[in-house]
Amino acid sequence: PWRRTRNPYSILVSEIMLQQTQVERVIEKYKAFLAAFPDFSALEKAPRAMVLRMWSGLGYNRRALSLKLLAQKVVEEHRGRLPSDQEKLLALPGIGKYTAGAITAFAFNKPVVFMDTNIRPVYIHEFFYDRENIHDDEIIPLLERTMDVVNPRKWHNALMDYGALLKREQVNPNRRSAHYTKQTPFENSNRQVRGSILKLLVKEAPLTMIQVVAKTGMDKERVKTNLVLLAKEGFIKKQGKLFVI
């Protein structure tokens, strides 16, 4: 659905949601999130618990809080309009080089160079078919030389489709990149513990630590450690013995 819009806010939401998350998991969440928060002003005003509730299931909940903080900055500093300049985009919370480039291309149709896990394999496959340990510095000049400067939005979408196809139909060319790292397993990770705690508190807060342990069925010490970290990072608050969003 994000390919059928030129709305910068909608495209930003999709790009943040798609970070390390499969398209199939994002689509319904994306639609529901935009229905709840249709623009920067609505997101900026929304209670944090509501934003986390709408985000629940996507993982990497830090992205939701960064997006809310970003909305506040856009409302306060850019009158509710996302800037089209890459440097201004990079100054916003939660936006890195890839996201700034993607927004510039997809929302504003500007010819910019950016790298992603579906763009990189295309160039490795086409230009470095007999090489290992390929650095992005070798690929970027090729991105610059081959880009469609007339319709960069369509060009980058096509590159991503081609890259996704390559990863499905052969050994992932990204494995030959110098930047390739295998994602750590989710099962039994701190990410899983944190996600379970947040999901529970969004639904049932306030709860004590003992209640969180009982309802999640997770190890008491891991729950205690992650409750402290979540509070320190601003995801939750501690009120006496109770934890709330």
Side-chain angles (χ1 to χ4, degrees):
W2 42 87
R3 290 193 180 184
R4 297 193 293 270
T5 181
R6 297 293 180 103
N7 183 298
Y9 171 74
S10 300
I11 289 169
L12 166 71
V13 170
S14 75
E15 288 298 334
I16 300 297
M17 284 188 169
L18 287 163
Q19 291 171 5
Q20 296 177 286
T21 309
Q22 293 177 332
V23 170
E24 293 75 16
R25 287 179 59 200
V26 168
I27 290 176
E28 292 308 314
K29 284 288 182 181
Y30 167 81
K31 293 176 182 177
F33 195 91
L34 290 185
F37 318 114
D39 53 32
F40 286 110
S41 179
L43 180 57
E44 186 256 344
K45 292 174 184 174
R48 182 175 53 178
M50 184 180 178
V51 175
L52 286 171
R53 187 179 303 117
M54 296 304 298
W55 197 271
S56 180
L58 283 174
Y60 299 97
N61 292 284
R62 190 186 307 276
R63 294 177 297 170
L65 297 189
S66 290
L67 191 53
K68 180 168 167 54
L69 182 57
L70 186 154
Q72 182 182 338
K73 292 278 187 183
V74 170
V75 169
E76 291 175 354
E77 299 175 10
H78 301 284
R79 299 182 180 181
R81 296 174 66 89
L82 194 67
S84 61
D85 179 78
Q86 273 190 291
E87 292 305 313
K88 290 180 180 178
L89 287 169
L90 284 167
L92 294 170
I95 293 189
K97 289 181 72 174
Y98 162 74
T99 305
I103 291 167
T104 305
F106 296 135
F108 302 105
N109 202 32
K110 290 186 176 183
V112 291
V113 170
F114 60 94
M115 188 75 73
D116 125 297
T117 57
N118 282 330
I119 291 175
R120 186 182 287 111
V122 172
Y123 287 83
I124 291 176
H125 175 75
E126 294 289 345
F127 295 97
F128 302 95
Y129 54 88
D130 58 350
R131 286 267 314 279
E132 300 283 337
N133 201 36
I134 302 133
H135 200 279
D136 282 353
D137 287 348
E138 300 178 80
I139 299 175
I140 287 171
L142 296 168
L143 289 173
E144 293 170 344
R145 289 170 60 190
T146 56
M147 187 191 307
D148 181 344
V149 296
V150 176
N151 198 341
R153 173 187 167 101
K154 188 174 182 180
W155 170 250
H156 283 102
N157 276 326
L159 280 180
M160 290 186 174
D161 287 346
Y162 184 21
L165 178 71
L166 287 171
K167 290 195 292 184
R168 284 197 305 270
E169 296 197 344
Q170 59 177 260
V171 175
N172 184 357
N174 274 329
R175 291 172 181 263
R176 296 191 282 117
S177 166
H179 309 278
Y180 178 75
T181 54
K182 196 170 183 179
Q183 193 170 4
T184 54
F186 177 71
E187 197 65 31
N188 204 35
S189 66
N190 267 346
R191 281 199 298 122
Q192 186 183 38
V193 175
R194 289 163 64 95
S196 297
I197 292 170
L198 276 177
K199 191 172 183 178
L200 175 65
L201 289 175
V202 162
K203 288 182 179 179
E204 300 186 33
L207 294 171
T208 64
M209 182 191 71
I210 298 301
Q211 287 174 317
V212 173
V213 170
K215 287 175 179 288
T216 60
M218 292 182 168
D219 177 75
K220 179 180 177 181
E221 288 306 312
R222 293 191 72 186
V223 169
K224 181 180 178 181
T225 299
N226 281 286
L227 280 170
V228 170
L229 288 172
L230 286 167
K232 186 177 180 181
E233 293 168 15
F235 286 97
I236 61 176
K237 295 177 182 178
K238 189 177 181 184
Q239 297 176 347
K241 291 185 177 182
L242 295 172
F243 290 91
V244 298
I245 293 293

